[in-house]
Amino acid sequence: MSDIDIRRAQEADVPAIVTMLADDPLGRGREDTSEPLAKAYRDAFAAVDADPNQFLAVMTDGGQVIGTLQITFLAGLSLQGAWRGQIEAVRVAAGRRGERLGQRLLEWAIEKCRERGCRIVQLTTNKSRQDAHRFYDRLGFKASHIGCKLDLKA
Amino acid sequence: MSDIDIRRAQEADVPAIVTMLADDPLGRGREDTSEPLAKAYRDAFAAVDADPNQFLAVMTDGGQVIGTLQITFLAGLSLQGAWRGQIEAVRVAAGRRGERLGQRLLEWAIEKCRERGCRIVQLTTNKSRQDAHRFYDRLGFKASHIGCKLDLKA
């Protein structure tokens, strides 16, 4: 475990991130891992990378990407002008699950939100991800909300 | 209803927005409406206003603020690099509820997300807000997720 690092993603990490997004019961049907990687992923990476309120992170082991998540820092008037850190697209590579790497990644992200002065860390998780619910509960998250999505392409 | 407009919030609207945020069963205990308005609200407004991916909106009637919501446009790799529009802090002024103004405000926001090329519109709503669940369901949202919050000041 000694070579594990968590850092800001670079463009060269995008294929490995997309592979992890796709390697998932819900992600499988919605990502496109064909090569060369679709331009939409490169464009999305450029938009995230250019935004000072976005932090796309990768966890690496000996240089190999083994995990990812995205943090968005959100300003708002609610809660007396509190900043929120929102976590999305959390994945650990298939071959590296069960090593508590997800916990390490989340604890790192929570600390990042604290450093940025966030009052709240928030995320949503699909109702079908039972293991994820227990995982976030152990990290101290309260499942206080319902997350609603409207698909504009449906 | 003919004088109703929806536009980007200006600094002068902040006190009216905070009043609406506070006038709510959940907001009551967490906002500070004392005058002069706490600097944290002004700072939060400045951060939102400076961010091209944020749109804090007010609905007005004859110039008076009667509703608000905040949209954040989120880039990300998931869903083939889809943009998402996230809606938060939705409120209609106490004296103007029951006129379907919330629906009008949400439909406007969904259209705004469509114009920006978003694939998904997402929001979370507290489990205690039963009326809100029916409201979002009628607008076509699917309650597919659990929304988890971690309070870093708790």
Side-chain angles (χ1 to χ4, degrees):
Chain A
M1 302 274 286
S2 58
D3 283 346
I4 288 182
D5 184 33
I6 302 173
R7 60 165 170 79
R8 189 180 285 275
Q10 297 164 356
E11 200 187 346
D13 301 316
V14 174
I17 297 170
V18 173
T19 297
M20 287 188 289
L21 293 176
D23 185 17
D24 172 89
L26 293 173
R28 198 154 289 139
R30 17 187 233 209
E31 305 301 341
D32 173 8
T33 54
S34 60
E35 295 184 17
L37 204 61
K39 182 174 176 295
Y41 288 117
R42 304 279 175 196
D43 291 348
F45 175 79
V48 168
D49 196 46
D51 186 339
N53 288 325
Q54 294 270 16
F55 196 117
L56 178 63
V58 287
M59 176 182 256
T60 60
D61 185 359
Q64 196 183 358
V65 174
I66 57 168
T68 183
L69 59 72
Q70 179 177 350
I71 314 175
T72 307
F73 300 105
L74 295 161
L77 297 184
S78 299
L79 279 171
Q80 305 191 30
W83 280 81
R84 294 157 189 257
Q86 177 164 303
I87 298 175
E88 290 189 271
V90 180
R91 293 289 190 287
V92 169
R96 301 300 299 266
R97 292 176 196 155
E99 298 177 42
R100 296 196 172 272
L101 296 172
Q103 181 179 336
R104 192 157 159 181
L105 191 54
L106 259 291
E107 285 170 349
W108 171 89
I110 292 165
E111 188 51 37
K112 207 83 191 160
C113 292
R114 210 185 287 275
E115 283 169 18
R116 280 279 297 239
C118 293
R119 159 83 190 263
I120 299 278
V121 183
Q122 64 186 26
L123 56 86
T124 70
T125 175
N126 193 285
K127 283 182 177 172
S128 68
R129 298 192 194 274
Q130 299 287 339
D131 288 354
H133 307 163
R134 284 187 290 272
F135 172 70
Y136 292 121
D137 181 67
R138 281 198 305 273
L139 284 163
F141 284 85
K142 302 294 173 214
S144 55
H145 285 61
I146 293 171
C148 302
K149 310 268 178 181
L150 176 67
D151 188 341
L152 296 180
K153 300 280 168 62
Chain B
M1 300 272 288
S2 59
D3 283 346
I4 288 183
D5 184 35
I6 303 172
R7 59 165 172 79
R8 188 180 285 276
Q10 297 163 358
E11 199 186 348
D13 302 316
V14 174
I17 297 170
V18 174
T19 297
M20 287 188 288
L21 293 176
D23 184 17
D24 173 88
L26 293 171
R28 198 154 288 139
R30 23 186 226 207
E31 305 302 340
D32 173 7
T33 53
S34 60
E35 295 184 17
L37 203 63
K39 182 173 177 294
Y41 288 116
R42 305 278 175 196
D43 291 348
F45 175 79
V48 168
D49 197 46
D51 185 339
N53 287 325
Q54 294 271 16
F55 196 117
L56 178 63
V58 287
M59 176 183 255
T60 60
D61 184 0
Q64 196 183 359
V65 174
I66 58 168
T68 183
L69 58 72
Q70 180 178 350
I71 314 175
T72 307
F73 301 104
L74 295 162
L77 297 183
S78 298
L79 279 171
Q80 305 192 31
W83 280 81
R84 293 158 189 257
Q86 177 163 301
I87 298 175
E88 291 189 271
V90 180
R91 292 290 191 284
V92 169
R96 301 300 300 266
R97 291 175 197 156
E99 301 177 41
R100 297 197 170 272
L101 296 172
Q103 181 179 335
R104 193 157 158 181
L105 192 53
L106 259 291
E107 285 170 350
W108 171 89
I110 291 165
E111 189 50 39
K112 207 82 191 161
C113 292
R114 211 184 286 274
E115 283 169 18
R116 281 278 299 239
C118 293
R119 159 83 190 263
I120 298 277
V121 183
Q122 63 185 26
L123 56 86
T124 69
T125 175
N126 193 286
K127 284 181 178 174
S128 68
R129 297 191 196 274
Q130 299 288 339
D131 288 353
H133 307 163
R134 283 187 291 269
F135 172 71
Y136 292 121
D137 181 66
R138 281 199 304 272
L139 285 163
F141 284 86
K142 302 293 172 213
S144 54
H145 284 63
I146 294 171
C148 302
K149 310 269 178 181
L150 175 67
D151 188 342
L152 296 180
K153 299 279 166 62

